[in-house]
Amino acid sequence: MKTQSLETTNLSSKNKSSNFILYAILLPFLIFLGLLSMNAIALSRPLLITIGIAGIVVISILALTDLHKLLLIFVLYLPFSKIIPGDFGTGTWAFNLTNVFLLLILLSLGIEKLKSGLNFIPKSSITIPVIIFCFFGTISFIKGGFYFGYAYMGHFIGPLKEWLTPIFLFFIFLIAVRDKHQIKQIITLIILITICISALTVFEYLGVKGAEDFEKTRVGTIFEQPNRAGAFFVYYSFLLVGVFLVNIRSVKYWPLIFPILISARALMYTYSRGAIVAFAAAGIFIASIKSKWLFILVCLFAMLALINPNVLPSSLRDRFASTITKQEPIYQQSLEDRLEPSAKTRIIIWKGALKMIGDRPFLGVGYGVFPYMINFYAPVGKRDPHNAYILIAAELGLIALGVFLWIIALIYKNTLFLYKKSKDKFIKSFALGFLAGIVGLLVCNIFGSRMDSQILMGFFWILTALVFKSKELLKKGQLN
């Protein structure tokens, strides 16, 4: 027993040492990407190309030697992949750094298959539903091609790939990740990236603070759109909250309050009403899971904020107060007439979308077609539905929507299982935080379509893969 304990201690010390070296290498690269994405540093085009070529050489070497480190660098790059596409000025969707990464990862997986017999057929309860959902998306795209011709397919093949890539990442990480140590490294890296993006958002806000046009004060940071930025913080900020709550009795974890507050402040600077509501819902949920007393405390604060909004920051109060422009009694006018133009238009779009779904309930109108069809059902022009569930039902059909909700239910169920059964505090905190992120995603997408972007959803599907891999290791007794 003493020998086994000593071996475990030595392994833990070795892992901590390797983690320190790894993050010492990755963090400067993360800071460099952040500053580059914000134009805080200016590099000449020849220098950028040189850095890009050197980067491809490095990841090519890793593809031949170390799959896990290749995955870590890819995770680091993923949220910056839109603002720093790495296309060497070609402007094409086919040739970019993301595709280079994916090809090299597939090559590395093939090498691992030859060396160690890596299993390419992942077993999980979610595999078949995910394949079915992707099938509906592909059929919807082909159907759109039949209706609108080759021009349609050429236009939407890029968005379709961006929608499917995060799901593809689920299978890659489910196959490639081997052990608890690798799982913890990836989760830690995602947490660090979230903190970095939060800091970048606050930094960007300081540059636009006080602008006369309200829309210019809304920060989109690397996502280039405030609502998407808000959704990102809803999905992933709670990973750090989970770590804090699971270890709240240990004083050394209390400094985590500061990056958590930075993430919350970054969310506020997006002024995304849907994201703020979703963040609040996720906060109430995580409190209910962790402690009944914490849940009661959070609910009391929420009730106080509803009764007396003055307890909230003035910018937050003003943002929500602007939603309703007329204060006459509800029975004197319709809901649309009481709302500001943006919210009013959403109600009109949703009513038209329900008519569209009624016309083609099973297979939908076709992938990406909604904005072009909605004007036939509601006088709003070319508009997004601002609701992911309506968008899936309208474009892919009600069956596809049912499959998607089935997938989310399975992710939630397995994450909850992991939270309840795992004795490893880090894995437990990851599961707790991801549970809140799932709830946040469900609420956030009532008010917008925030699931069609690889920079936004890439982490979600990677974390989903880590949930199912963790469950697999837990059942084998390799997690504790």
Side-chain angles (χ1 to χ4, degrees):
M1 288 296 292
K2 289 183 178 179
T3 303
Q4 185 178 3
S5 176
L6 182 61
E7 288 177 352
T8 302
T9 303
N10 290 338
L11 181 61
S12 177
S13 300
K14 183 180 179 181
N15 286 341
K16 288 181 180 179
S17 177
S18 65
N19 284 343
F20 178 80
I21 296 171
L22 182 66
Y23 297 133
I25 296 171
L26 291 178
L27 283 177
F29 182 47
L30 173 60
I31 294 170
F32 170 75
L33 285 176
L35 295 175
L36 188 63
S37 68
M38 301 297 293
N39 296 318
I41 53 176
L43 301 177
S44 65
R45 183 177 176 82
L47 182 57
L48 280 173
I49 292 175
T50 302
I51 293 173
I53 293 173
I56 290 177
V57 171
V58 170
I59 63 176
S60 298
I61 294 171
L62 287 176
L64 300 174
T65 59
D66 197 322
L67 172 59
H68 179 62
K69 287 187 175 61
L70 177 63
L71 292 177
L72 287 174
I73 294 176
F74 175 67
V75 168
L76 194 66
Y77 169 71
L78 184 58
F80 301 94
S81 59
K82 184 176 182 180
I83 202 164
I84 308 174
D87 58 5
F88 294 90
T90 62
T92 62
W93 65 267
F95 180 71
N96 55 54
L97 199 50
T98 300
N99 289 343
V100 171
F101 263 112
L102 293 176
L103 289 173
L104 289 174
I105 289 170
L106 290 176
L107 171 64
S108 191
L109 284 171
I111 293 172
E112 288 292 321
K113 174 70 174 178
L114 294 174
K115 287 167 55 178
S116 58
L118 189 66
N119 181 20
F120 271 21
I121 305 176
K123 295 180 180 179
S124 74
S125 59
I126 199 178
T127 300
I128 292 177
V130 169
I131 292 173
I132 292 173
F133 185 61
C134 292
F135 172 78
F136 272 103
T138 306
I139 290 297
S140 178
F141 173 72
I142 295 172
K143 178 183 177 182
F146 280 125
Y147 282 143
F148 301 103
Y150 292 111
Y152 160 87
M153 300 190 81
H155 180 75
F156 283 105
I157 186 67
L160 179 69
K161 177 192 171 294
E162 186 172 356
W163 176 64
L164 290 175
T165 295
I167 302 175
F168 183 55
L169 294 179
F170 163 77
F171 291 106
I172 286 178
F173 279 77
L174 188 61
I175 294 168
V177 175
R178 295 290 191 91
D179 54 45
K180 178 176 70 173
H181 180 60
Q182 293 183 351
I183 290 172
K184 289 183 176 182
Q185 283 188 335
I186 295 170
I187 295 168
T188 301
L189 187 57
I190 290 176
I191 290 173
L192 291 173
I193 293 168
T194 303
I195 295 170
C196 177
I197 294 174
S198 300
L200 289 175
T201 303
V202 174
F203 177 76
E204 182 179 335
Y205 176 77
L206 296 177
V208 298
K209 182 181 179 181
E212 293 183 5
D213 185 353
F214 168 73
E215 286 299 322
K216 290 183 179 179
T217 65
R218 299 186 65 198
V219 179
T221 188
I222 62 172
F223 306 97
E224 301 179 319
Q225 210 279 340
N227 293 327
R228 288 184 182 275
F232 179 86
F233 297 125
V234 170
Y235 299 172
Y236 308 118
S237 293
F238 284 95
L239 294 174
L240 191 58
V241 176
V243 175
F244 173 70
L245 290 179
V246 168
N247 299 279
I248 195 169
R249 295 181 185 275
S250 176
V251 177
K252 69 179 182 179
Y253 285 91
W254 289 6
L256 293 180
I257 293 174
F258 296 105
I260 290 171
L261 291 176
I262 291 173
S263 295
R265 178 61 69 174
L267 169 69
M268 285 181 55
Y269 289 154
T270 68
Y271 293 105
S272 172
R273 288 169 295 196
I276 292 169
V277 170
F279 192 86
I284 293 172
F285 172 83
I286 199 172
S288 71
I289 291 290
K290 185 63 181 72
S291 163
K292 66 177 182 180
W293 295 112
L294 181 61
F295 174 62
I296 292 171
L297 184 64
V298 171
C299 285
L300 287 174
F301 178 78
M303 291 174 61
L304 177 63
L306 289 173
I307 297 171
N308 181 20
N310 289 326
V311 300
L312 298 173
S314 59
S315 58
L316 206 60
R317 295 198 309 269
D318 294 342
R319 179 58 174 153
F320 280 92
S322 67
T323 304
I324 297 178
T325 57
K326 298 181 181 180
Q327 300 298 326
E328 288 85 350
I330 187 69
Y331 58 82
Q332 292 185 3
Q333 56 184 170
S334 66
L335 176 62
E336 293 96 314
D337 291 334
R338 289 166 53 86
L339 300 175
E340 53 88 20
S342 174
K344 177 180 179 180
T345 302
R346 293 189 188 195
I347 299 296
I348 296 172
I349 292 172
W350 291 348
K351 288 182 177 180
L354 293 177
K355 296 177 184 177
M356 186 189 300
I357 294 168
D359 279 354
R360 294 178 176 84
F362 299 111
L363 294 177
V365 296
Y367 177 81
V369 176
F370 183 95
Y372 302 91
M373 294 288 289
I374 186 60
N375 202 48
F376 293 104
Y377 297 91
V380 293
K382 181 183 173 183
R383 299 297 295 266
D384 178 87
H386 294 286
N387 183 299
Y389 311 107
I390 287 177
L391 182 64
I392 293 172
E395 293 190 344
L396 277 62
L398 290 172
I399 298 175
L401 176 61
V403 173
F404 170 74
L405 294 176
W406 178 22
I407 291 169
I408 296 297
L410 287 173
I411 296 172
Y412 178 89
K413 176 184 175 183
N414 284 273
T415 309
L416 185 62
F417 173 87
L418 191 64
Y419 171 69
K420 290 183 175 180
K421 300 297 183 179
S422 177
K423 295 179 181 178
D424 186 294
K425 276 196 168 185
F426 186 89
I427 298 298
K428 195 177 190 70
S429 64
F430 154 57
L432 178 62
F434 193 48
L435 280 170
I438 294 169
V439 172
L441 179 142
L442 287 171
V443 176
C444 192
N445 280 277
I446 295 173
F447 308 102
S449 307
R450 316 281 179 240
M451 294 189 291
D452 57 352
S453 166
Q454 71 182 32
I455 62 173
L456 192 53
M457 290 299 292
F459 283 175
F460 180 83
W461 285 102
I462 290 171
L463 293 171
T464 297
L466 299 184
V467 165
F468 283 88
K469 178 58 68 173
S470 297
K471 182 182 177 182
E472 177 187 326
L473 295 175
L474 180 64
K475 289 186 173 182
K476 291 180 179 178
Q478 300 175 7
L479 197 61
N480 297 322

